[in-house]
Amino acid sequence: ILISEETFYQLDDPTKYHYRLLDFVHVKGKSKTVAVFEIMNGQPDYIIELKNGTKADFERAVNHYISGEFEKSVELFKNILERNKGDRSTLLYLKRSEYFAKHGTPPDWEGVENLDFK
């Protein structure tokens, strides 16, 4: 389950949920960058345990990615995948990080994904 930061902050008690910061996006028609959270409740317990066990490294790697520190993000994302081979979000970020480390970023790159849909 993916939710925006607005929805996340409206939760009565976020501590009831297993979650991690997933990404920052620009949504079509909005000027503000929006944080997206992954709610892990409902996934098998072992998946929640794996993602919670790598949550700090994942969020640190995402911050390196956003800052354009791709070598650091690649290292952390690879480390996460060694512990949780099925983490598709980590794999996506690893591919993006490796691409930008090799090819550089576009001049208008801000470290966030632009969504052309709501």
Side-chain angles (χ1 to χ4, degrees):
I1 300 171
L2 301 180
I3 62 172
S4 70
E5 65 184 297
E6 184 177 324
T7 301
F8 179 79
Y9 294 128
Q10 290 178 14
L11 295 174
D12 289 334
D13 184 1
T15 63
K16 290 182 181 178
Y17 301 93
H18 297 280
Y19 65 89
R20 68 179 177 178
L21 175 65
L22 193 60
D23 206 348
F24 293 93
V25 298
H26 282 136
V27 180
K28 183 179 180 179
K30 305 267 182 174
S31 58
K32 183 180 139 189
T33 300
V34 176
V36 177
F37 290 86
E38 175 184 19
I39 303 295
M40 296 177 272
N41 296 61
Q43 295 183 12
D45 288 342
Y46 77 96
I47 296 290
I48 293 171
E49 197 172 305
L50 283 169
K51 288 183 178 181
N52 278 335
T54 59
K55 180 178 175 177
D57 283 345
F58 181 84
E59 291 179 355
R60 203 165 43 251
V62 169
N63 285 327
H64 285 306
Y65 172 84
I66 290 167
S67 299
E69 301 170 298
F70 301 115
E71 292 80 13
K72 291 179 181 178
S73 66
V74 164
E75 182 180 330
L76 283 168
F77 287 130
K78 283 182 177 180
N79 186 318
I80 293 165
L81 284 173
E82 286 176 11
R83 295 180 279 162
N84 183 5
K85 294 178 184 359
D87 190 334
R88 292 166 55 189
S89 298
T90 296
L91 183 58
L92 176 65
Y93 267 116
L94 175 60
K95 287 180 180 181
R96 286 182 194 169
S97 296
E98 288 175 333
Y99 178 85
F100 288 137
K102 183 176 181 179
H103 301 287
T105 59
D108 61 345
W109 190 80
E110 298 176 337
V112 298
E113 288 300 303
N114 290 309
L115 300 180
D116 57 359
F117 58 89
K118 288 186 181 184

